[in-house]
Amino acid sequence: MNAERAQTPILVPRGWRKALRYALLSLAALVFIAPAFWMLSSALKPEYEIFATPPVWWPAQPRWQNFSEALTALPFGRFTANTLIIALSSIIGHLLSCSVVAYGFARLKAPGKGFFFVLMLSTLMLPYPVTMVPLYILFSKLGWVNSFLPLILPAFFGNAFYIFLLRQSFKQIPPDLEDAARMDGANTLQVLANIILPLSRPALATVAIFTFQAAWNDFLAPLIFLHEQSKYTLMLGLSFFRGTYQVDWAYLMASSLVVTLPVIALFFFAQRAFIEGVGVTSNKI
């Protein structure tokens, strides 16, 4: 009798399981929200409260002027315009180049296509510092250093991850649609522009979001290729608040919070297309 009781599984009521699940999700959310809250709190504090002991979680008298003083201390309007030029140009370059290459891997028949596809994916294992020096030498010989071209032009030569993502999306489209378009006289580029791309908007939106985020948050490449302050991006502008011997933490937190808002807003408004676009990578290669 005791053995039968020991083997009987303990059933947890469904309501308790749901409550436990929400409790764990809430705890995880707090872990991710805590840094953002501390950034906001530090952006509103005077300098002496940021490293106070015990910690001051919220300032008694918030200094909202930290935002205006931080954003007017440097030409952030110019930095924002430079960053948008680079980000939007990179989006156009990636959408054009990656779409064409992905369509070739997804639909066109050619000998060795599988080998070249694996070779392309292997480039994902190359970190940026490995190609950084050759790229700098190349662009230096072309006379493009201290311009936006080294930050924009590579996007027009594709990206292995974006090509893979778009290829997976293109493979989900029934070939019958392309056959019908070809019977009506459409060529390959017309099929790509009028059939494939309109049906792959979630994947294209995902590529655009990833590209914008990468260009918006990029610090190393602009640091290497841009030498004049008038051409700096937002990430380089934020580095002005970090001196060799002193850091203006209140201004740095205030400006960093403002700089992160566009990326958060972009993901918030495009999250459905982003989730749908990322989901296509779950298909078989």
Side-chain angles (χ1 to χ4, degrees):
M1 188 68 178
N2 293 333
E4 293 180 357
R5 290 181 178 178
Q7 295 176 357
T8 302
I10 300 176
L11 299 178
V12 180
R14 185 175 180 180
W16 285 101
R17 285 184 293 173
K18 189 174 182 180
L20 179 61
R21 188 181 301 114
Y22 279 108
L24 293 176
L25 291 175
S26 300
L27 181 62
L30 287 176
V31 171
F32 285 100
I33 291 175
F37 172 78
W38 187 255
M39 179 186 292
L40 175 61
S41 175
S42 299
L44 297 174
K45 294 176 183 177
E47 286 288 340
Y48 64 88
E49 284 189 354
I50 294 179
F51 295 102
T53 305
V56 178
W57 294 102
W58 190 258
Q61 295 181 349
R63 296 190 78 254
W64 296 100
Q65 59 267 32
N66 282 348
F67 288 93
S68 59
E69 292 174 0
L71 296 178
T72 55
L74 294 168
F76 274 96
R78 168 58 61 182
F79 297 160
T80 303
N82 295 340
T83 307
L84 286 176
I85 292 173
I86 297 171
L88 296 179
S89 301
S90 299
I91 289 174
I92 295 173
H94 276 142
L95 291 180
L96 290 175
S97 60
C98 296
S99 298
V100 174
V101 178
Y103 180 75
F105 280 125
R107 286 291 194 261
L108 302 184
K109 296 180 181 180
K113 185 179 71 172
F115 168 77
F116 287 108
F117 181 69
V118 174
L119 182 64
M120 181 202 67
L121 290 180
S122 65
T123 61
L124 292 172
M125 295 184 291
L126 293 175
Y128 180 72
V130 173
T131 60
M132 180 176 60
V133 174
L135 283 176
Y136 184 85
I137 294 174
L138 173 63
F139 290 127
S140 178
K141 290 184 178 297
L142 292 174
W144 291 353
V145 175
N146 197 31
S147 70
F148 295 155
L149 289 176
L151 306 175
I152 296 173
L153 193 63
F156 287 84
F157 290 88
N159 178 281
F161 174 69
Y162 300 155
I163 293 172
F164 169 75
L165 192 149
L166 291 177
R167 171 187 178 268
Q168 296 301 98
S169 178
F170 294 169
K171 287 178 70 68
Q172 293 189 62
I173 300 174
D176 296 340
L177 297 176
E178 298 178 56
D179 296 337
R182 293 185 186 277
M183 291 179 63
D184 291 336
N187 56 33
T188 301
L189 290 179
Q190 289 174 333
V191 170
L192 176 62
N194 299 322
I195 304 296
I196 301 299
L197 295 183
L199 295 176
S200 304
R201 290 175 182 173
L204 296 174
T206 303
V207 171
I209 293 172
F210 277 138
T211 303
F212 181 85
Q213 183 183 15
W216 189 268
N217 296 330
D218 192 10
F219 175 77
L220 182 58
L223 179 65
I224 295 171
F225 292 111
L226 301 179
H227 299 162
E228 295 180 9
Q229 181 177 332
S230 60
K231 299 178 180 178
Y232 280 5
T233 61
L234 284 170
M235 293 300 109
L236 293 181
L238 293 178
S239 65
F240 279 102
F241 295 119
R242 294 179 57 90
T244 305
Y245 303 104
Q246 184 179 1
V247 179
D248 296 326
W249 286 107
Y251 289 171
L252 180 60
M253 293 295 103
S255 55
S256 298
L257 184 62
V258 174
V259 168
T260 58
L261 291 180
V263 179
I264 296 174
L266 176 64
F267 179 78
F268 178 79
F269 289 108
Q271 59 180 323
R272 177 174 297 180
F274 174 78
I275 294 172
E276 293 178 3
V278 172
V280 301
T281 59
S282 61
N283 292 343
K284 295 175 63 177
I285 297 177

